[in-house]
Amino acid sequence: MDIAINTGNSRYQVDKNGYYGRFGGAYIPEMLYPNVAELQSRYLEVLSDPGFQQEFEDLLRDYVGRPSPLYFAKRLSEKYKAKIYLKREDLNHTGAHKVNNTIGQILLAKRLGKHRIIAETGAGQHGVATATVCALMGMECVVYMGSIDIERQAPNVARMKMLGATVVPATSGSKTLKDATNEAIRDWINNPVDTHYILGTAAGPHPYPDMVARFQSVISEEIKKQLLEKTGSEDPNYVVACIGGGSNAAGAYFHYLDRENVKLVAVEAGGKGVHSGFSAATTQLGTIGIIHASKTLLMQTNDGQIVEPHSISAGLDYPGIGPMHAHLYESGRAQFLSATDEEALAAAYELSLLEGIIPAMESAHALAKLKDLTLQPEDVVVVCLSGRGDKDLDTYIRHMNK
Ligand SMILES: *Cc1c(COP(=O)(O)O)cnc(C)c1O
């Protein structure tokens, strides 16, 4: 496991003050200081412990089912005239990459002596992954979820309850992910001693973006080995991933960040069109500001009010991106594209028919941009298939009948 490697010399990894370029940091209210300071001072020491790494590795293998396959998608490759591989995070236990991070964080929480876990969730994938690992470890679990999302993601709410979690509705603001995150932070302020907050993406105050990226870095660690076996080289020409807060992308890019010959492509949710007023394309529409205790790019009005995002996929429906990605955008290291709701739907149907794989609505955004890359027949492209489409069947069926 490379989760504790020294990344200090990289231009694209977090610096010792918790920044990626001018993005990141920990802009926290004073009441949150003890929790965040404890994490900042302890996380790298815990992650470097061989006992911790062994336990993490064992659970990823025997409980999650890793390594996830790197699948050569033959018919998709024929269609796009390049060599396309899918990193199958959809085959993980609970159906997405989120569980890599929740396993890491719950093991950390145990070592910090915490016995109560809180989390935020949008579509419910992170909430389900958190409820799952809490059941596994016998810990109390409270998940905050916008009351609108509770209505539109009923199956995942039922799963969380069956797994023993308490689901608390967030009823302020737009009643979605951003508001659930606010409620989780409020809970943490009130319970600083016994509670760990398992944040679900590469966002929030330092050290969360770095810690989440390290737990997800198993994705690119595996890609390197698997590509070497299949192609004779660890390096693809492209790594493509969708971006909500940026955790599956951070994991897929992690070990390639300093290999500038590998092109990194990030796909944001264009919603009904970047300039339609219904979009979540943060790098196209955002400006620098502070959201959930991190200085990053976010969609805001001139006087700093958050603009409500829109995406057909609840997992990408977030008005900011994590600070690592804001820096990858500003430095030009990664290319940022956006896919509309319609493009993502078409890509989801296409993958289903060409490969027999129904992708998550989020992952379909990454697939949707294959048509916009200028690919050569020899190019090796790895697409991070972040999750499976079971949770999105209602959406798919509704649009199929149109
Ligand atoms: C949550 C989710 C995402 C978006 O989150 P990131 O942190 O940007 O990866 C993407 N795909 C799936 C399947 C998800 O559940």
Short mmCIF file of all heavy atoms in Angstrom, two decimals, residues 96-98 125 201 242-248 315-316 360 362 386-387, ligand 1:
data_model
loop_
_atom_site.label_atom_id
_atom_site.label_comp_id
_atom_site.label_asym_id
_atom_site.label_seq_id
_atom_site.Cartn_x
_atom_site.Cartn_y
_atom_site.Cartn_z
N ALA A 96 -19.82 1.14 -5.65
CA ALA A 96 -19.08 2.32 -6.13
C ALA A 96 -17.73 2.41 -5.42
O ALA A 96 -17.42 1.59 -4.55
CB ALA A 96 -19.89 3.60 -5.90
N HIS A 97 -16.95 3.42 -5.81
CA HIS A 97 -15.63 3.62 -5.20
C HIS A 97 -15.71 4.11 -3.77
O HIS A 97 -14.73 4.04 -3.03
CB HIS A 97 -14.84 4.64 -6.04
CG HIS A 97 -15.46 6.01 -6.00
ND1 HIS A 97 -16.67 6.29 -6.59
CD2 HIS A 97 -15.07 7.15 -5.39
CE1 HIS A 97 -16.98 7.56 -6.37
NE2 HIS A 97 -16.03 8.10 -5.65
N LYS A 98 -16.84 4.65 -3.33
CA LYS A 98 -16.94 5.33 -2.04
C LYS A 98 -16.44 4.47 -0.88
O LYS A 98 -15.87 4.96 0.08
CB LYS A 98 -18.40 5.74 -1.77
CG LYS A 98 -18.95 6.76 -2.75
CD LYS A 98 -18.81 8.16 -2.22
CE LYS A 98 -19.05 9.26 -3.23
NZ LYS A 98 -20.09 9.06 -4.22
N GLN A 125 -25.04 7.02 -1.99
CA GLN A 125 -23.97 6.03 -2.13
C GLN A 125 -22.98 6.12 -0.97
O GLN A 125 -22.55 5.12 -0.42
CB GLN A 125 -23.22 6.22 -3.45
CG GLN A 125 -23.97 5.72 -4.67
CD GLN A 125 -24.33 4.26 -4.55
OE1 GLN A 125 -25.50 3.93 -4.37
NE2 GLN A 125 -23.35 3.39 -4.63
N THR A 201 -15.98 12.86 0.03
CA THR A 201 -15.30 13.21 -1.21
C THR A 201 -14.02 13.99 -0.90
O THR A 201 -13.72 14.26 0.27
CB THR A 201 -16.24 13.99 -2.16
OG1 THR A 201 -15.59 14.14 -3.42
CG2 THR A 201 -16.60 15.36 -1.59
N CYS A 242 -15.15 11.18 -13.94
CA CYS A 242 -16.13 12.21 -13.64
C CYS A 242 -15.77 12.88 -12.32
O CYS A 242 -15.06 12.31 -11.50
CB CYS A 242 -17.55 11.62 -13.57
SG CYS A 242 -17.82 10.49 -12.17
N ILE A 243 -16.28 14.12 -12.15
CA ILE A 243 -15.95 14.88 -10.94
C ILE A 243 -17.19 15.45 -10.26
O ILE A 243 -17.93 16.25 -10.86
CB ILE A 243 -15.04 16.08 -11.28
CG1 ILE A 243 -13.69 15.57 -11.75
CG2 ILE A 243 -14.89 17.00 -10.10
CD1 ILE A 243 -12.52 16.17 -11.05
N GLY A 244 -17.43 15.02 -9.02
CA GLY A 244 -18.41 15.68 -8.17
C GLY A 244 -17.59 16.56 -7.24
O GLY A 244 -17.25 17.70 -7.53
N GLY A 245 -17.18 15.99 -6.11
CA GLY A 245 -16.19 16.65 -5.26
C GLY A 245 -14.79 16.29 -5.71
O GLY A 245 -13.84 17.03 -5.52
N GLY A 246 -14.67 15.08 -6.30
CA GLY A 246 -13.39 14.71 -6.92
C GLY A 246 -12.69 13.51 -6.32
O GLY A 246 -11.49 13.35 -6.53
N SER A 247 -13.41 12.60 -5.62
CA SER A 247 -12.66 11.51 -4.98
C SER A 247 -12.31 10.36 -5.92
O SER A 247 -11.20 9.82 -5.85
CB SER A 247 -13.40 10.98 -3.74
OG SER A 247 -14.57 10.28 -4.08
N ASN A 248 -13.21 9.98 -6.85
CA ASN A 248 -12.82 8.89 -7.75
C ASN A 248 -11.76 9.38 -8.72
O ASN A 248 -10.82 8.65 -9.06
CB ASN A 248 -14.04 8.24 -8.43
CG ASN A 248 -14.50 8.89 -9.72
OD1 ASN A 248 -14.05 8.54 -10.80
ND2 ASN A 248 -15.40 9.86 -9.62
N GLY A 315 -24.98 12.49 -7.54
CA GLY A 315 -23.60 12.44 -7.07
C GLY A 315 -22.71 13.55 -7.63
O GLY A 315 -21.62 13.79 -7.13
N LEU A 316 -23.15 14.21 -8.70
CA LEU A 316 -22.36 15.31 -9.27
C LEU A 316 -23.02 16.66 -9.01
O LEU A 316 -22.53 17.70 -9.46
CB LEU A 316 -22.19 15.12 -10.79
CG LEU A 316 -21.56 13.80 -11.26
CD1 LEU A 316 -21.39 13.81 -12.78
CD2 LEU A 316 -20.22 13.54 -10.58
N ALA A 360 -23.28 3.78 -13.46
CA ALA A 360 -23.94 4.83 -12.67
C ALA A 360 -24.07 6.06 -13.56
O ALA A 360 -23.25 6.30 -14.45
CB ALA A 360 -23.11 5.16 -11.43
N GLU A 362 -23.40 9.01 -12.83
CA GLU A 362 -22.19 9.83 -12.67
C GLU A 362 -21.11 9.36 -13.65
O GLU A 362 -20.55 10.15 -14.42
CB GLU A 362 -21.65 9.74 -11.23
CG GLU A 362 -22.51 10.40 -10.16
CD GLU A 362 -23.66 9.49 -9.71
OE1 GLU A 362 -23.69 8.30 -10.09
OE2 GLU A 362 -24.54 9.99 -8.98
N SER A 386 -16.88 4.64 -12.01
CA SER A 386 -16.95 4.85 -10.56
C SER A 386 -18.05 4.06 -9.86
O SER A 386 -17.94 3.76 -8.67
CB SER A 386 -17.10 6.35 -10.26
OG SER A 386 -18.20 6.89 -10.95
N GLY A 387 -19.14 3.71 -10.59
CA GLY A 387 -20.21 2.99 -9.90
C GLY A 387 -21.17 2.32 -10.86
O GLY A 387 -21.14 2.55 -12.06
C1 LIG B 1 -20.47 9.97 -5.30
C2 LIG B 1 -20.20 9.47 -6.66
C3 LIG B 1 -19.44 10.22 -7.60
C4 LIG B 1 -18.97 11.61 -7.37
O1 LIG B 1 -18.10 11.79 -6.30
P1 LIG B 1 -16.54 11.99 -6.46
O2 LIG B 1 -16.11 12.27 -5.07
O3 LIG B 1 -16.33 13.16 -7.38
O4 LIG B 1 -15.97 10.75 -7.01
C5 LIG B 1 -19.16 9.64 -8.83
N1 LIG B 1 -19.60 8.40 -9.14
C6 LIG B 1 -20.33 7.67 -8.27
C7 LIG B 1 -20.79 6.31 -8.69
C8 LIG B 1 -20.65 8.17 -7.00
O5 LIG B 1 -21.37 7.43 -6.15
#
